[in-house]
Amino acid sequence: MILGGFYKASNLLKCSGGSWRILRRKMSADSSSLTLREQQDGIRRIVLNNPEKRNTLSLAMLESLRENLLTDSDDLRVIIISARGPVFSAGHDLKELRAARGRDYHSRVFQTCSEVMTLIQDIPVPVIAMVNGVATAAGCQLVASCDIAIASDKSTFATPGVNVGLFCSTPGVAIGRAVPRKVAMEMLLTGRPVSARDALLHGLVSKVVLEEQLEQETLAVARRVCESSRPVVALGKAVFHRQMTLGRDAAYASAAAAMLENLTLWDGQEGIRAFLEKRKPVWSNTDAVDTNTR
């Protein structure tokens, strides 16, 4: 199955407009949850909801985020991760990393964090970070791990762990794969913040917009993703991340095999038929195979 077992393959709803003002009110109503989740027209919004503690990625926050990423839904097409308050996320909760907690607890924190970051790239739907504010350490790692990151012009990014004696080694995994090596090393070795514009220049984020345009632009990207076939997007996301870990020749072999698989999908052939017939495609949004390709 192309969707990798994370979600069921079934007929799915296409994204359309919707009253996100009402959605925001619903999400803000429950301030006791570390993360808030709502889904409408195939777009799932996950909001980090602990602004009083700068949305730190405590173990509980990470577990809540993981649960919201994994929750099954037949009509899920794209996920948006955002945050309440002026800080997107300040990274790990340093109170949890004091010696009194013990090595086993610390190991659980880092293991869970790594699971969340890899899950973002492994699930078959695109994940978009919507950043409005400060993203530091593991919070910056979260942004770097997402497939797309759209930031307001007031946002900043940093890996300041070196300044408190805890080098941002695990954030460096995601950041080092998102930006040039020397840029990553400067961030890691100095801890100095990077502006949204510099983050865009170096590839840490996809787009920078005015704060008042952030939600509109993020939803526009999400809705555009929803216009495509879900299994085709799932296959494409998976092969992109896979080939990025390979050498050139192996990457081409992997990508060519994926395109052959893509052509066997009913949606793959439907897209070609629709283009040639000058009409909009009608996606099945399932893993159905076009029997003429076998």
Side-chain angles (χ1 to χ4, degrees), residues 63-83:
E63 289 174 340
S64 181
L65 181 55
R66 179 176 59 188
E67 178 184 356
N68 287 329
L69 287 166
L70 278 172
T71 299
D72 198 358
S73 172
D74 287 346
D75 71 338
L76 179 62
R77 306 295 299 280
V78 63
I79 294 172
I80 298 172
I81 299 176
S82 60

Side-chain angles (χ1 to χ4, degrees), residues 177-194:
R177 285 162 170 75
V179 305
R181 182 175 299 186
K182 287 181 173 59
V183 174
M185 286 301 291
E186 182 177 354
M187 290 180 66
L188 293 164
L189 290 169
T190 68
R192 292 175 181 167
V194 172

Side-chain angles (χ1 to χ4, degrees), residues 59 97 102-114:
L59 180 58
L97 302 183
R103 187 179 182 89
D104 288 346
Y105 186 88
H106 297 161
S107 177
R108 186 179 169 195
V109 169
F110 293 127
Q111 178 62 35
T112 303
C113 185
S114 296

Side-chain angles (χ1 to χ4, degrees), residues 171-217:
V173 174
I175 294 166
R177 285 162 170 75
V179 305
R181 182 175 299 186
K182 287 181 173 59
V183 174
M185 286 301 291
E186 182 177 354
M187 290 180 66
L188 293 164
L189 290 169
T190 68
R192 292 175 181 167
V194 172
S195 70
R197 295 295 175 185
D198 283 344
L200 176 63
L201 175 66
H202 298 307
L204 182 59
V205 301
S206 317
K207 188 175 294 188
V208 174
V209 298
L210 297 175
E211 181 180 9
E212 57 267 26
Q213 298 173 345
L214 179 60
E215 184 161 343
Q216 178 183 353
E217 183 63 32

Side-chain angles (χ1 to χ4, degrees), residues 40-60:
Q40 180 176 329
D41 300 319
I43 302 174
R44 175 176 299 169
R45 303 190 67 175
I46 302 173
V47 181
L48 307 183
N49 185 45
N50 194 8
E52 295 80 9
K53 293 190 175 180
R54 298 167 60 86
N55 292 312
T56 53
L57 297 181
S58 62
L59 180 58

